[in-house]
Amino acid sequence: MPSKFAILVDGGFIKKKLQQRHKHFPTVDEIEAEVTRIKSHSLLAAYALLRVYFYDAPPAAGVLTNPLDG
């Protein structure tokens, strides 16, 4: 059974980069095409895709406490 990999997509970052490339707000199809491009990279050929995580959240604001060491 081949090892697996996951792709984590930072929604804000990919939307900004694709908007610069295509000169318009990216569509779902353009984001999916970028994920497909990443999946087809030669270094990942021996691995099976486990899943793609897409996350998009505003940057953290204020003072934050590290939950591991306080």
Side-chain angles (χ1 to χ4, degrees):
M1 182 150 124
S3 296
K4 297 178 182 177
F5 72 98
I7 298 174
L8 285 73
V9 180
D10 180 331
F13 181 79
I14 197 167
K15 288 186 286 188
K16 180 179 177 181
K17 288 299 184 180
L18 290 176
Q19 188 169 11
Q20 290 172 353
R21 184 184 304 164
H22 298 291
K23 307 300 183 209
H24 64 269
F25 194 78
T27 64
V28 171
D29 291 336
E30 290 167 339
I31 293 172
E32 285 181 352
E34 192 64 19
V35 170
T36 300
R37 186 188 68 77
I38 294 166
K39 286 187 335 187
S40 65
H41 194 283
S42 62
L43 292 175
L44 298 174
Y47 301 94
L49 178 64
L50 176 63
R51 62 180 47 110
V52 177
Y53 293 100
F54 183 95
Y55 61 95
D56 195 7
V63 177
L64 302 175
T65 304
N66 183 330
L68 298 177
D69 62 10

